[in-house]
Amino acid sequence: MPFSCFKCPWVCSSSTDIKENRNVDNVPPKDSAGQGLGEGTPLSNGGGSSSRKRPLEEGNNGHSKFRPKKRKKTPGPVLPKNALMQLNEIKPGLQYKLLSQTGPVHAPMFVMAVEVNGQVFEGSGPTKKKAKLHAAEKALRSFVQFPNASEAHLAMGRTLSVNTDFTSDQADFPDTLFNGFETPVPSDAPFYLGSNGDGSFGSGGDYGLPSCAVASSLSQSPLPPASPYPTASGKNPVMILNELRPGLKYEFLSESGESHAKNFVMAVAVDGQTFEGSGRNKKLAKARAAQSALASLFNMQLDQTPSRQPIPSEGLQLHLPQVLADAVARLVVDKFSDLTENFSSPHARRKVLAGIVMTTGTDVKDALVISVSTGTKCINGEYMSDRGLALNDCHAEIIARRCLLKFLYTQLELYLSNKEDQQKSIFIRSEQGGFKLKENVQFHLYISTSPCGDARIFSPHEAAQEDQGDRHPNRKARGQLRTKIESGEGTIPVRSTTTIQTWDGVLQGERLLTMSCSDKIARWNVLGIQGALLSLFVEPIYFSSIILGSLYHGDHLSRAVYQRIAEIEDLPPLYTLNRPLLSGISNAEARQPGKAPNFSVNWTVGDSGLEVINATTGKDEMGRASRLCKHAFYSRWMRIHAKLSSSLRSKILKPNLYHDTKQGATEYQTAKECLFKAFLKAGLGAWVEKPIEQDQFSLTV
């Protein structure tokens, strides 16, 4: 009922009615305190004392009107606790002291101090209140050095029950400490970033990964389960950062990406540091920039979904996982944009984009894009080449790795050309014979979606907030070797018995089987990405990280690329089971429905432009062999061998057949046997190899 109606004269039937209605224009009754009566606020028609109908009202053609039901308004949002309140909960009764006041009267600067656990923390600000707040922030930051709440509680002298179950729906430990920093409980204000595709922030959204991860986030300690939805009081990172540092200005840096996957970059300067964030719109990019600042300066990790957390590598950590992942993805997409005239070229059409980035130190700005490729199809059996002139597998990540092989040949040739160029090469002589990579040279593989096979089959959607990882890790289908379908998309499990493919069988119509990308990446994590031929010259080379642009699920990806063969045994020296960093990106790429193109494109650093390959024939549209084919690589290998025959890691007397030369890499072949045994021992099936005839060629043919 509109507010103006309350002024109309009443026809009162009893004194009770008068008492019931006389308060309308003044203060609301106790049961609705705090809600207030505004324009258009409906009044109650509930039971009990307020069950009487409103008396007849004059006017409106004599029709009687009854008071409509009063809807209960949900209480206003609970404001998140600031640092002072958080600190007071942990250490009640702290005394703040004014240390100094400087500056002119119109712009004073106060310094306040507080002593916590025998340590003094100082904060400054234009008012005493802000100075106290900054001191409290510093004190809180000194506590937030533990990967999870349980360790923080123990450090504060608060004990947890011995049998705390971190996977239960109700965690049985106190939740008052670091409400704003840990996975929140519904009663307090959580720090979440949700993006609902349109850049809005709300419940049930696609929660973005933090743009910047701090050291504590590298820990894979179990976390208490997060509430599946943010509470009504959930604030986005821009609001949270604005409360901590009011008046910040966000700067628009760039716009890039294809129409279905636009990418905007925004930046914000906080406390003398600049933080960048990217997203499918400016609003989301601002939120990611704020999120990055909150993670770095205030240790606030806004996304604790277990299956979306980066899985750190066991090796050298030169970069923060999320910063590296986002930088690598952006470099590859930007390079593809350059090569396709801002995605306007007909060859920009693609389902999957992959690329490899090389870093040579701790600064991601020094990174170099080595290769870019697209593709989702394999060769048709009738087009197989017995001279190594056709590409068998044109899936984007497989082609990206072949581009890397081309780059490695170039770097070896550079080392062997003259003394001056030796310094420019990424290779140095190894004490054990042959060559090895210079220190800190790392390669990072980016794929726009999860690799086909075991990594993708169980993760068809983005990880949701409630996803607590793989719920059925022991199902028989998990980890099975799978093969791609000839001339199509998708994969099928290998047969339980060993499959031997024959040349004449395939030519007569038997479907050519190619191992899935998940299986090939697992193979690279044991044998290295250099392959059999180059292993005669160089020590095994492994990816330092694998970054997915969409459909990243930590559990499924880690199982697919190394965990399922964790029991591998008897590997020869220098070979190992590599466990690279695994990560998604902050701005996950949208799914692209529709038919995949039949072509695959590739580019390697140093190339003038893209090479376009017909995936069905494994050659270009003119029927010419690709620059990435076996024949081209074997030619380059022979030229290097002529110069290096005295310093091979394994001796090859007189190279002839391509197949025989590969077999001469004895350590590599031993490692391959160990890999195949590990798959069989784990009950995951037998590796399917191509017909042997396709490698029985020499360069004299």
Side-chain angles (χ1 to χ4, degrees), residues 239-250:
M239 295 167 70
I240 298 165
L241 187 60
N242 193 53
E243 286 176 1
L244 295 165
R245 296 286 185 271
L248 295 173
K249 293 277 188 287
Y250 290 80

Side-chain angles (χ1 to χ4, degrees), residues 631 634 638 656-657 697-701:
H631 194 282
Y634 194 33
M638 291 285 271
N656 187 16
L657 290 182
F697 67 89
S698 66
L699 293 182
T700 53
V701 175

Side-chain angles (χ1 to χ4, degrees), residues 438-461:
K438 284 179 178 172
E439 199 178 358
N440 287 357
V441 171
Q442 295 189 341
F443 294 107
H444 312 274
L445 172 66
Y446 169 76
I447 318 169
S448 63
T449 189
S450 54
C452 68
D454 189 50
R456 188 188 300 169
I457 197 84
F458 304 108
S459 51
H461 309 292

Side-chain angles (χ1 to χ4, degrees), residues 230-435:
T231 63
S233 58
K235 292 193 173 187
N236 77 49
V238 176
M239 295 167 70
I240 298 165
L241 187 60
N242 193 53
E243 286 176 1
L244 295 165
R245 296 286 185 271
L248 295 173
K249 293 277 188 287
Y250 290 80
E251 186 186 351
F252 172 62
L253 294 185
S254 67
E255 175 188 346
S256 61
E258 298 147 280
S259 55
H260 63 269
K262 279 285 182 196
N263 191 55
F264 296 87
V265 182
M266 302 289 286
V268 62
V270 188
D271 295 352
Q273 294 182 55
T274 302
F275 299 92
E276 291 183 10
S278 62
R280 61 179 69 91
N281 53 45
K282 289 180 184 176
K283 186 176 179 182
L284 202 51
K286 272 177 72 173
R288 295 254 165 78
Q291 203 173 5
S292 178
L294 290 169
S296 181
L297 298 176
F298 302 100
N299 227 349
M300 292 185 193
Q301 293 305 310
L302 307 186
D303 186 348
Q304 298 289 6
T305 308
S307 56
R308 278 211 303 271
Q309 300 308 305
I311 300 176
S313 69
E314 293 183 337
L316 188 63
Q317 296 283 319
L318 292 178
H319 311 86
L320 294 174
Q322 204 59 54
V323 175
L324 174 71
D326 291 343
V328 166
R330 197 182 309 163
L331 283 166
V332 171
V333 173
D334 287 352
K335 176 53 73 176
F336 187 57
S337 171
D338 293 345
L339 292 165
T340 56
E341 294 158 29
N342 201 21
F343 311 109
S344 62
S345 155
H347 297 123
R349 206 160 57 88
R350 52 92 180 179
K351 273 264 194 178
V352 181
L353 170 69
I356 292 169
V357 170
M358 179 177 75
T359 56
T360 52
T362 53
D363 195 346
V364 182
K365 290 186 177 71
D366 297 334
L368 175 70
V369 179
I370 301 300
S371 65
V372 172
S373 58
T374 66
T376 56
K377 303 275 177 76
C378 289
I379 194 170
N380 192 312
E382 65 184 280
Y383 291 105
M384 278 193 312
S385 169
D386 59 358
R387 293 194 295 146
L389 298 173
L391 296 178
N392 291 322
D393 188 341
C394 281
H395 280 233
E397 51 270 63
I398 308 305
I399 294 297
R401 180 256 178 180
R402 289 199 73 77
C403 290
L404 177 59
L405 292 181
K406 182 168 173 269
F407 172 73
L408 294 178
Y409 277 113
T410 304
Q411 290 296 307
L412 270 177
E413 288 162 356
L414 189 68
Y415 186 94
L416 297 170
S417 57
N418 58 58
K419 285 277 184 196
E420 199 176 302
D421 288 339
Q422 261 188 26
Q423 303 304 314
K424 297 176 188 171
S425 174
I426 61 169
F427 288 112
I428 55 173
R429 291 271 183 186
S430 170
E431 308 79 36
Q432 299 174 18
F435 299 87

Side-chain angles (χ1 to χ4, degrees), residues 631-696:
H631 194 282
F633 285 172
Y634 194 33
S635 299
R636 295 182 78 170
W637 186 92
M638 291 285 271
R639 287 198 298 271
I640 294 171
H641 176 264
K643 295 181 182 180
L644 278 179
S645 53
S646 59
S647 58
L648 286 179
R649 295 184 68 246
S650 296
K651 292 288 178 268
I652 302 279
L653 294 173
K654 192 181 175 193
N656 187 16
L657 290 182
Y658 177 79
H659 174 266
D660 294 347
T661 305
K662 285 172 72 172
Q663 290 301 312
T666 49
E667 287 184 350
Y668 182 92
Q669 297 301 334
T670 304
K672 188 164 80 168
E673 288 306 313
C674 294
L675 172 73
F676 293 173
K677 278 181 195 165
F679 278 120
L680 282 169
K681 191 176 172 186
L684 304 176
W687 193 277
V688 180
E689 300 208 73
K690 293 280 193 311
I692 195 171
E693 288 85 354
Q694 73 166 8
D695 285 351
Q696 304 277 8

